[in-house]
Amino acid sequence: MNLPENYIPVLIQAAVGLGFVAFTLVASHTLGPKRHTSGAVKDDTFECGIEVEGNARSPYSVKYFLTAILFVLFDIEIVFFYPYAVNFKDLGLEGFLAVATFIAIFFIGFFYVLKRGALDWNK
């Protein structure tokens, strides 16, 4: 196998991650409870011991989904700061200006969301 030595730490980390997942799956299967239920009891809905009432298909407010999407959007943008944090000395002023522009666009989007009232739950 002819791999550059730079890939060895990545392969070790991937192997440790996969090993942990495999170990956790096997351990939970062997050490976990063995319950064998059948029929209606197994298919019955259970919610903290409270009797089921109504239909589970009740509609959610669109605000909930909008807030979730905005959280994911603004959370993922943080990932783009990682390459800058790793190489900020090498990137110099040009890198700083690029990140400052990115942050400015980020704040424009954030203030737009605030102005539209997407985060105001009292409306």
Side-chain angles (χ1 to χ4, degrees):
M1 197 164 172
N2 192 8
L3 285 175
E5 62 185 41
N6 292 341
Y7 286 119
I8 292 173
V10 174
L11 292 175
I12 290 172
Q13 185 175 7
V16 169
L18 290 173
F20 176 74
V21 168
F23 171 75
T24 304
L25 287 173
V26 170
S28 66
H29 180 70
T30 56
L31 300 175
K34 310 281 190 284
R35 295 187 182 162
H36 301 287
T37 58
S38 62
V41 174
K42 183 175 182 178
D43 295 334
D44 194 20
T45 305
F46 178 77
E47 183 67 32
C48 301
I50 300 172
E51 291 294 324
V52 178
E53 74 180 54
N55 188 1
R57 304 270 181 210
S58 60
Y60 285 99
S61 172
V62 174
K63 290 274 192 187
Y64 171 78
F65 294 109
L66 185 60
T67 303
I69 289 170
L70 289 173
F71 170 75
V72 170
L73 175 71
F74 289 124
D75 194 46
I76 293 298
E77 287 183 358
I78 300 302
V79 171
F80 293 112
F81 288 119
Y82 182 73
Y84 176 72
V86 171
N87 298 317
F88 75 96
K89 286 184 181 178
D90 297 334
L91 295 174
L93 182 63
E94 183 179 344
F96 175 74
L97 293 176
V99 169
T101 305
F102 177 75
I103 291 172
I105 293 170
F106 173 78
F107 276 118
I108 289 170
F110 180 69
F111 288 125
Y112 174 77
V113 166
L114 283 177
K115 184 169 174 63
R116 294 291 304 225
L119 301 176
D120 186 14
W121 282 80
N122 295 327
K123 279 187 172 182

